[in-house]
Amino acid sequence: MGQRYAAIEGRIRAFVEEQPVFFTATAPLAGDGHVNLSPKGRKGTLVVLDEQTLAYLDFGGSGAETLAHLREPGNGRITLMWCAFSGPPKILRVHGTGEAIFRDDPRWGEYIGCFEGADGPSARAIVVVRARRVSDSCGFAVPFMEYREERTQHAEYFARKSDEEFAAYCAKKEHVGRSLDGLPALPLPLPPRTDPPGAR
C-alpha cells in the first residue's frame, strides 16, 4: 500500500541516497509537445539539501529537454523517481517544481559546493527540485537487479576536454540550445565555470 510523506527525511532520505540511479520526467505545456524521461546516474551527483529540496547535476552529452521544460514560463513541473532493484520492493516519487541554476548564476558557487567529491566534468547546470508531493508504491513488479559498478566513460570522455572545448561541444549539439519543441533550453554560449576552490 502506497504512502505519502510530509518530508524527505529518515528512511525516505536514506532510500534516495542509497539508489545508484534515478529518473526524471518533464513535459512542455503544449499538449502536443514531447514528454521527456531521462535516467540519471554518476555517484554523488544528487543531493538532498533539506526536507523539501533536492538538487542534481545536469551534464552535457545529450539534449536539454528537462532544462527547456523547467525554463518555460508557467511550467517548471518535474517528477523524480527511484526504484529499489534490491531489498524490499519500493518505488518512490517526488513531484515538484524545478529550477535550473546555470554557470553564470550568482548561486552557482553555493550549489556546486554541495557536490563535494562528485565526479563533475561536463556539468552545465544544477537542477534544484522543491517537492510538492512525496509518495511511494509497492514496486512488486520491479525485478531484482544487481548493481555492479559505475560506468566511467562519460566522465572520462569529458575530462579530456577543456572548458572551452566543452562549450564548443554544447554549441554544436542538436537540441541543446533549443528543445525538440523549439523552447529555449541551455543558454548559449555556455559561460565558463566559476567554482569555488575544491569544488571540481
Side-chain angles (χ1 to χ4, degrees):
M1 191 85 174
Q3 297 185 55
R4 289 187 62 175
Y5 302 92
I8 306 164
E9 61 182 356
R11 62 187 179 88
I12 297 302
R13 176 170 183 161
F15 177 78
V16 165
E17 294 175 337
E18 288 167 2
Q19 304 312 308
V21 64
F22 66 100
F23 302 86
T24 69
T26 59
L29 294 175
D32 61 351
H34 290 78
V35 176
N36 188 66
L37 176 63
S38 297
K40 303 291 182 182
R42 291 180 62 171
K43 187 174 182 178
T45 59
L46 177 134
V47 295
V48 179
L49 298 177
D50 60 40
E51 295 178 351
Q52 302 293 333
T53 315
L54 308 99
Y56 69 86
L57 295 179
D58 176 84
F59 292 108
S62 60
E65 301 301 303
T66 300
L67 300 180
H69 301 157
L70 298 184
R71 292 185 67 193
E72 184 181 20
N75 195 347
R77 300 165 301 162
I78 188 169
T79 299
L80 306 183
M81 186 183 79
W82 296 260
C83 296
F85 296 111
S86 62
K90 181 189 287 288
I91 298 170
L92 180 75
R93 292 179 179 86
V94 171
H95 296 81
T97 57
E99 178 185 10
I101 307 295
F102 296 110
R103 291 169 160 208
D104 56 353
D105 190 302
R107 298 169 293 171
W108 175 272
E110 170 193 348
Y111 279 107
I112 200 69
C114 298
F115 298 93
E116 290 182 12
D119 188 0
S122 76
R124 60 187 185 179
I126 299 165
V127 174
V128 178
V129 178
R130 294 171 179 86
R132 288 184 173 175
R133 188 179 197 272
V134 181
S135 62
D136 64 12
S137 56
C138 66
F140 289 165
V142 176
F144 284 108
M145 289 192 284
E146 183 178 351
Y147 171 77
R148 192 168 71 191
E149 62 186 7
E150 296 283 303
R151 294 182 192 267
T152 60
Q153 292 96 325
H154 186 272
E156 290 169 352
Y157 175 79
F158 286 106
R160 294 192 292 268
K161 292 184 180 295
S162 68
D163 204 47
E164 293 77 14
E165 290 170 332
F166 177 58
Y169 168 91
C170 290
K172 291 189 298 185
K173 196 158 181 70
E174 189 178 17
H175 303 305
V176 167
R178 290 203 165 265
S179 75
L180 291 167
D181 302 306
L183 298 172
L186 183 71
L188 297 173
L190 186 71
R193 286 183 65 155
T194 55
D195 298 359
R200 295 187 70 171

